[in-house]
Amino acid sequence: MADKKKLYIRTYGCQMNVYDSERMAEALGAGKDGYELTENLEAADMILMNTCHIREKAAEKIYSELGRFKGLKTAKPDLKIGVAGCVAQAEGAEIMRRQPAVDLVVGPQTYHRLPEMMQAVAKGEKALDTDFPEEDKFENLPVRPKVKRAPAAFLTVQEGCDKFCAFCVVPYTRGAEVSRPTARILSEARALVERGVREITLLGQNVNAYIADGITLAGLIHQLAEIDGLARIRFTTSHPNDMGDDLIAAFGTCDKLMPYLHLPVQSGSDKILKRMNRSHSAAQYLQVLERIRAVRPDILISGDFIVGFPEETDADFQATLDLIRAVNYGQAYSFKYSSRPGTPAAERALVDADVADARLQELQALLSVQQKAAQDAMVGREVSVLFEKPGRLKGQMIGKSQHLHAVFVAIPDGPDAPVVGDLRRVRITESSANSLGGVLID
Ligand code: 5AD
Ligand code: SF4
């Protein structure tokens, strides 16, 4: 039997792209002519880039990478190159114009059509599909393969965004908010658990806007919590305005819901929040967090920040630092504003680049201190760790705590040694730059 053709996928951007890459690999792997995954670029018969359009740098990087892949095609003329994800959606045919070596462009809502598209590509044609189709792509994707899985998995439950923040391309690249039916999510989750998954992170661009047949994200979480063998549930990314009462309450009532919440605010200045079209004030954001902390005092809060948004003054920036001090973040992601064509903010005058750079540095310095303090505060505490893989040192394993801290544990030999997928109690003994160290308790 001839060897299967090899597919190399490179994933950029958010966790939803990680999930989509898995599903695209499954779609391309199905059937007798299907591809199998390789991690070796040189061995690939097809290279698929699953791209991110969120900031200019991310999008431009795709073109420079494509330039490199083109060289591989000179040596191997049958090599196929595909571009998927948000750059594909946003730029469509322009990608093939800028880089003629590209054979295929597929958007995030049409990748269930990849097998047909590949038939055209096999004939030497170009294939492009960036529709927002009527049909549900998940329903048209192959059944997920019955293979053993890593203990932590992503599961997309909601896509798209109706919020139209003035800086953001997502409403254009991912389309309007759509939630998947609860029953289908539950059956996908059960199948993941049968294959070894113990922790599921529910994904959506606005995951807490999830609503399907009257079932909210909190309702979905409570139903998922009934699945035996599923030990942990997380969700990301949320919008402050969609933190419903039932979702806040779930942090206090659902043991399987982990004490970690990524809740971007972007800015602490009400003037900038208004110009960003965020539809909430800094005080409203703080109130939401206060209510969550009342039911789950140990919750670790994570956020996203943009500095240098058009017309951001020093006073606006100070308001962001004040908000950060008030919240005390355990994790955070911060970015310099990047003007994106087609978004409302792209029309506005930019803040001086040096000023924006200096603000980003100051903000990141403050956030790092908070993150390190949150991590250091774990020393001496007992946490539960879901073991994900062996560490680099012999006899060591790495897992994640409830708060999503990476934890390295030295494992004594013996019958009680944990294996990948086990959840065990660990006492934290040290905190280093980006991880914790600990010892097994039982
Ligand atoms: N410039 C900089 N950062 C952005 N983000 C989204 N759009 C932009 C932009 N134009 C950031 C926001 C968002 C995260 C995913 O990326 O902080 O929450
Ligand atoms: Fe990138 Fe946003 Fe698209 Fe995710 S949704 S791939 S972060 S542009």
Side-chain angles (χ1 to χ4, degrees):
M1 205 175 85
D3 274 352
K4 277 197 137 191
K5 286 183 291 180
K6 304 273 189 296
L7 169 68
Y8 176 93
I9 301 194
R10 194 170 284 183
T11 305
Y12 302 82
C14 62
Q15 289 112 325
M16 194 169 291
N17 272 6
V18 175
Y19 177 84
D20 288 341
S21 288
E22 275 182 25
R23 302 292 312 244
M24 286 193 279
E26 290 166 14
L28 288 167
K32 66 175 174 28
D33 296 329
Y35 287 79
E36 67 183 10
L37 278 176
T38 178
E39 290 185 6
N40 175 4
L41 187 60
E42 272 75 35
D45 300 291
M46 163 137 194
I47 298 173
L48 186 62
M49 300 174 79
N50 192 8
T51 61
C52 175
H53 200 247
I54 199 96
R55 284 169 289 274
E56 188 182 356
K57 243 198 224 144
E60 279 308 311
K61 193 152 115 203
I62 302 306
Y63 287 102
S64 60
E65 291 280 287
L66 281 173
R68 281 186 44 221
F69 296 156
K70 184 183 147 211
L72 295 172
K73 207 165 177 167
T74 320
K76 193 176 191 179
D78 283 343
L79 175 68
K80 306 296 180 202
I81 300 179
V83 178
C86 292
V87 175
Q89 190 64 44
E91 303 195 0
E94 173 64 16
I95 298 174
M96 288 164 171
R97 265 197 294 278
R98 266 182 81 174
Q99 182 44 269
V102 172
D103 300 284
L104 173 144
V105 172
V106 63
Q109 297 309 339
T110 42
Y111 63 75
H112 56 293
R113 297 177 181 163
L114 270 172
E116 305 153 42
M117 295 175 77
M118 288 308 292
Q119 285 176 9
V121 169
K123 287 191 243 154
E125 295 165 17
K126 301 249 178 204
L128 172 105
D129 195 336
T130 52
D131 284 355
F132 284 106
E134 281 295 308
E135 77 267 13
D136 177 347
K137 78 169 172 251
F138 296 108
E139 279 311 280
N140 289 281
L141 283 166
V143 176
R144 307 207 68 182
K146 292 191 171 46
V147 288
K148 177 95 180 126
R149 307 226 6 157
F154 295 130
L155 203 176
T156 294
V157 303
Q158 182 280 341
E159 286 189 275
C161 178
D162 296 342
K163 303 287 186 296
F164 290 92
C165 295
F167 50 81
C168 188
V169 290
V170 169
Y172 314 99
T173 58
R174 292 275 176 170
E177 287 175 5
V178 179
S179 298
R180 293 179 67 191
T182 309
R184 302 219 181 103
I185 295 166
L186 290 169
S187 76
E188 192 171 330
R190 280 190 210 99
L192 288 171
V193 171
E194 277 165 23
R195 279 147 218 172
V197 169
R198 313 281 325 267
E199 170 178 313
I200 292 181
T201 301
L202 306 174
L203 299 181
Q205 268 94 30
N206 257 298
V207 72
N208 58 341
Y210 177 89
I211 182 95
D213 293 327
I215 297 173
T216 60
L217 184 66
L220 176 65
I221 289 169
H222 286 298
Q223 291 195 39
L224 284 163
E226 302 282 310
I227 300 176
D228 283 340
L230 179 62
R232 293 174 162 189
I233 303 169
R234 306 181 186 277
F235 61 89
T236 197
T237 287
S238 299
H239 191 286
N241 290 0
D242 290 321
M243 283 310 297
D245 293 346
D246 59 347
L247 188 56
I248 293 175
F251 278 107
T253 55
C254 180
D255 291 342
K256 291 187 179 180
L257 182 59
M258 292 293 100
Y260 183 103
L261 176 65
H262 182 60
L263 196 64
V265 64
Q266 317 297 355
S267 169
S269 150
D270 286 342
K271 178 193 98 187
I272 294 294
L273 286 170
K274 205 172 174 89
R275 293 187 189 179
M276 286 178 163
N277 193 31
R278 289 287 296 177
S279 328
H280 63 76
S281 62
Q284 282 165 332
Y285 175 82
L286 292 172
Q287 274 156 21
V288 169
L289 292 186
E290 202 175 303
R291 292 178 54 213
I292 298 168
R293 280 177 162 152
V295 296
R296 193 78 194 239
D298 70 332
I299 195 154
L300 187 145
I301 301 298
S302 163
D304 285 344
F305 300 90
I306 296 178
V307 300
F309 187 78
E311 293 146 49
E312 182 188 70
T313 62
D314 273 333
D316 295 320
F317 176 63
Q318 289 306 321
T320 302
L321 296 180
D322 288 344
L323 177 136
I324 291 172
R325 288 188 199 100
V327 171
N328 200 5
Y329 286 89
Q331 179 63 269
Y333 305 85
S334 46
F335 314 96
K336 200 165 80 162
Y337 169 71
S338 166
S339 172
R340 308 305 288 126
T343 59
E347 310 294 319
R348 312 216 187 116
L350 291 174
V351 167
D352 178 85
D354 291 340
V355 171
D357 280 332
R359 285 180 190 162
L360 185 62
Q361 273 192 24
E362 192 177 344
L363 179 120
Q364 289 184 336
L366 174 60
L367 287 167
S368 309
V369 169
Q370 294 191 344
Q371 277 163 247
K372 187 69 171 66
Q375 212 191 265
D376 292 350
M378 303 310 292
V379 175
R381 282 174 60 180
E382 275 183 31
V383 302
S384 97
V385 171
L386 175 60
F387 285 104
E388 292 185 358
K389 57 185 179 196
R392 250 181 301 145
L393 300 179
K394 198 172 171 301
Q396 192 187 49
M397 282 184 80
I398 308 175
K400 297 269 169 54
S401 73
Q402 301 98 309
H403 295 101
L404 218 48
H405 287 126
V407 185
F408 287 75
V409 182
I411 306 295
D413 274 343
D416 289 342
V419 294
V420 168
D422 280 355
L423 262 170
R424 297 283 286 268
R425 303 290 303 167
V426 168
R427 185 183 315 282
I428 300 300
T429 52
E430 59 182 308
S431 171
S432 47
N434 291 311
S435 60
L436 295 167
V439 292
L440 285 180
I441 292 172
D442 45 35

